[in-house]
Amino acid sequence: MSLLLALGGCGDASEVPPARAIMPPVIYEGKIVRQPPSNGGKKDGWFLVQDGQRRWISNTAWLHKNGYTPDMVLEISAAEFNALGENPLPME
């Protein structure tokens, strides 16, 4: 019996789409990441990954000052984004 049926869902396991693997934070180390746009808040911004955590980049001038360009920003899934812990100190 599939887990879906055991939890009261309908259908069988063949109807459940395969889970997308979440990449470990280390693969994004030193990279600028963002998640797909959601609500227009801070989480829609760009973040530098340091020590496995994301740090918000408060303005685009930081990118250029530190040798990054907007085309270097990687869009990752919301699940991957949320799997990264957040360092509350923004990059300024």
Side-chain angles (χ1 to χ4, degrees):
M1 176 185 283
S2 76
L3 179 60
L4 183 61
L5 288 174
L7 294 175
C10 57
D12 62 24
S14 65
E15 295 176 14
V16 178
R20 181 173 174 211
I22 295 176
M23 300 303 293
V26 70
I27 196 163
Y28 300 118
E29 191 66 29
K31 306 245 190 299
I32 307 295
V33 299
R34 68 168 301 181
Q35 70 174 344
S38 60
N39 66 5
K42 174 183 156 188
K43 280 190 151 186
D44 283 352
W46 297 345
F47 293 79
L48 173 67
V49 179
Q50 283 185 319
D51 300 321
Q53 294 187 312
R54 56 185 153 86
R55 289 184 67 187
W56 179 48
I57 298 169
S58 60
N59 70 55
T60 56
W62 182 93
L63 285 178
H64 301 292
K65 185 170 77 174
N66 291 280
Y68 293 95
T69 60
D71 62 320
M72 297 169 105
V73 177
L74 301 173
E75 186 168 294
I76 62 176
S77 73
E80 290 169 315
F81 182 84
N82 290 320
L84 296 166
E86 182 174 357
N87 181 326
L89 300 173
M91 303 303 291
E92 296 179 351

